[in-house]
Amino acid sequence: MNVLALEPWYGGSHRNFLDGLTRHSHHSFHRVTMSARFWKWRMHGGAVTLARKVVQLCEAGYKPDVILATSMVNVPAFLALTRSHIKAAPVVFYLHENQLTYPLRNGEERDLSYAYVNYLSCLAADRVVFNSQFHYDEFMRALPGLLRAFPDYTHLHTVQEIRDKSRVLHLGMDLQAHDGYAMDYSGHEWGPWMEPPIVLWNHRWEHDKNPEAFFRLMNRLDDIGLQFRLILAGKHFEEQPYEFERAFERYAERILHYGYAEDFEEYSRLLHRADMVVSTAIHEFFGIAIMEAIYCGCHPLLPNRLSYPELIPESLHQPLLHVPILYEDEDDLFQIMASILRGEERPLPPATLRSILEDLDWPRHVVHYDALFESVARA
């Protein structure tokens, strides 16, 4: 089967997802991509560029059986410009994120035109797929409010139409790619510590990941004399959040890595070296960074909300003999972290952590995507 994949933001997690899917799928993929920059322009104008490339491809003899379009594709615009060439090929619209519920900075006002592009794309697609149940639920709760924001002809009945053709399918990940960089770090011999344990931050350095709360936690732990070291990885863009600058000043001698790890090997070794990974995110559609760290042996400490509860097996939400994975609030997180750093609690062993994610590894998980494309093509 020929799957035509459209990705106007071919970078970061979008690129990793598409590369992993095309590498492991049993179907034949042809990728039409654009560079990962100017996201607003990609949502408005990207469809024209993608359409022109696809028209040239079809005129050369290519015939897609299914089209995979991701979050930043303006699906109805693309279809209007290509339908005479792609004929009746059905469209799967996969949402990595959406512009209706993506968190805004303080004082920033949401531009509903981008959210409406997502809505129209859901309406025009044959199948809509969300990367987590949390993402699906949040989007569907917010969608009626978006439609009511307009003066008339709100078409609220289309919310149910979108529900009926939607499903949840978690991301696949190339987890086995990390296997070659595991090392026998003594820090994974849990308490009493031979050296201060290593706490990992590997999220984007942006407001929705809430670095302020993370460093507030670390400062509280430091204030009562508990010892730890830090790995501060993750990507940041134009401006470096001030929280990281202040943390560098306070913890410079205890920071083992500071900044984005461009090289995969370097990044993987950092994950394997760390003992714990913490999320204080206020929003997370899926959580790739956390999942990678868990696979590499980091005990996770995650808020009991967002996408995290569905990704962690329920039996491990509050394990009896080990430290919890999910916490309720900052004080709860502080108490859990303090007990770990004192050696009073036993984090989960690496083998248990790896088992959490084994079904998301692409060689096993890709069968669900292949079946999705086959079912859409048959319909």
Side-chain angles (χ1 to χ4, degrees):
M1 179 185 299
N2 290 329
V3 181
L4 175 64
L6 309 176
E7 181 50 83
W9 186 267
Y10 187 55
S13 60
H14 287 220
R15 178 172 184 161
N16 291 339
F17 166 78
L18 187 55
D19 288 353
L21 174 59
T22 56
R23 186 162 56 249
H24 291 92
S25 174
H26 292 97
H27 300 309
S28 175
F29 275 76
H30 191 100
R31 296 179 290 188
V32 179
T33 65
M34 300 172 68
S35 58
R37 54 182 181 174
F38 312 127
W39 74 265
K40 292 183 177 181
W41 175 229
R42 290 293 179 265
M43 290 193 69
H44 279 306
V48 178
T49 301
L50 295 172
R52 288 179 176 270
K53 291 182 177 183
V54 169
V55 166
Q56 292 177 353
L57 186 65
C58 292
E59 289 177 343
Y62 182 77
K63 294 181 179 179
D65 297 303
V66 176
I67 296 168
L68 171 65
T70 57
S71 314
M72 291 190 189
V73 178
N74 185 327
V75 172
F78 172 82
L79 292 177
L81 295 168
T82 60
R83 186 50 86 184
S84 62
H85 290 80
I86 63 174
K87 306 303 179 185
V91 177
V92 175
F93 184 51
Y94 191 93
L95 284 104
H96 292 284
E97 68 283 309
N98 74 80
Q99 298 306 317
L100 175 55
T101 65
Y102 199 98
L104 303 176
R105 295 181 182 276
N106 290 335
E108 186 178 3
E109 187 174 345
R110 191 176 303 280
D111 185 340
L112 295 182
S113 66
Y114 299 100
Y116 208 79
V117 168
N118 283 157
Y119 160 69
L120 289 175
S121 295
C122 290
L123 207 57
D126 297 275
R127 187 69 59 88
V128 181
V129 182
F130 292 83
N131 61 353
S132 70
Q133 186 67 42
F134 163 75
H135 189 181
Y136 167 83
D137 292 340
E138 185 183 60
F139 183 81
M140 290 303 174
R141 281 195 300 267
L143 187 53
L146 170 69
L147 300 181
R148 291 192 185 100
F150 300 101
D152 61 3
Y153 296 101
T154 54
H155 300 288
L156 285 168
H157 65 281
T158 59
V159 175
Q160 188 59 48
E161 291 180 16
I162 294 172
R163 283 183 180 275
D164 291 342
K165 60 182 175 181
S166 294
R167 63 168 292 185
V168 172
L169 186 52
H170 289 156
L171 289 168
M173 292 183 286
D174 267 325
L175 296 171
Q176 292 181 24
H178 290 280
D179 290 349
Y181 305 113
M183 297 181 68
D184 184 20
Y185 292 110
S186 59
H188 286 305
E189 298 297 327
W190 296 104
W193 299 98
M194 297 175 66
E195 292 184 276
I198 300 171
V199 181
L200 169 69
W201 170 281
N202 63 331
H203 314 275
R204 284 182 288 107
W205 295 14
E206 293 191 279
H207 70 287
D208 61 307
K209 304 309 176 190
N210 201 9
E212 182 178 359
F214 173 74
F215 289 116
R216 186 163 56 240
L217 164 72
M218 303 316 297
N219 291 346
R220 287 179 67 186
L221 294 167
D222 187 49
D223 288 343
I224 62 173
L226 294 175
Q227 297 298 306
F228 55 83
R229 293 171 291 169
L230 292 169
I231 290 177
L232 303 177
K235 195 167 188 175
H236 62 89
F237 298 91
E238 290 84 1
E239 296 182 7
Q240 177 175 290
Y242 76 94
E243 293 92 349
F244 287 88
E245 295 179 3
R246 292 171 60 185
F248 187 80
E249 294 174 0
R250 178 166 180 167
Y251 300 114
E253 295 182 354
R254 285 180 272 175
I255 294 176
L256 306 179
H257 176 89
Y258 185 86
Y260 184 57
E262 295 280 355
D263 180 72
F264 178 81
E265 177 179 348
E266 179 189 14
Y267 175 65
S268 184
R269 291 191 185 282
L270 290 173
L271 300 189
H272 282 102
R273 189 176 184 184
D275 299 300
M276 289 167 280
V277 61
V278 179
S279 171
T280 51
I282 58 176
H283 201 275
E284 187 71 85
F285 286 117
F286 182 77
I288 294 175
I290 286 289
M291 296 300 108
E292 290 177 324
I294 293 174
Y295 182 81
C296 293
C298 296
H299 182 97
L301 294 170
L302 313 173
N304 191 15
R305 52 185 172 80
L306 310 178
S307 60
Y308 297 128
E310 71 184 87
L311 295 172
I312 302 299
E314 191 171 351
S315 61
L316 295 178
H317 284 193
Q318 294 290 333
L320 295 176
L321 300 178
H322 296 273
V323 67
I325 287 179
L326 302 178
Y327 65 84
E328 299 301 327
D329 53 33
E330 283 191 36
D331 286 336
D332 189 28
L333 175 59
F334 171 77
Q335 295 298 331
I336 295 171
M337 283 284 287
S339 67
I340 295 175
L341 296 179
R342 293 188 185 108
E344 299 168 354
E345 294 277 6
R346 294 173 55 199
L348 290 165
T352 302
L353 295 171
R354 286 169 64 96
S355 69
I356 293 173
L357 304 173
E358 56 189 10
D359 288 336
L360 295 182
D361 201 23
W362 269 125
R364 299 179 62 166
H365 195 51
V366 74
V367 296
H368 301 293
Y369 283 89
D370 283 350
L372 167 67
F373 298 135
E374 290 162 10
S375 67
V376 172
R378 284 195 303 267

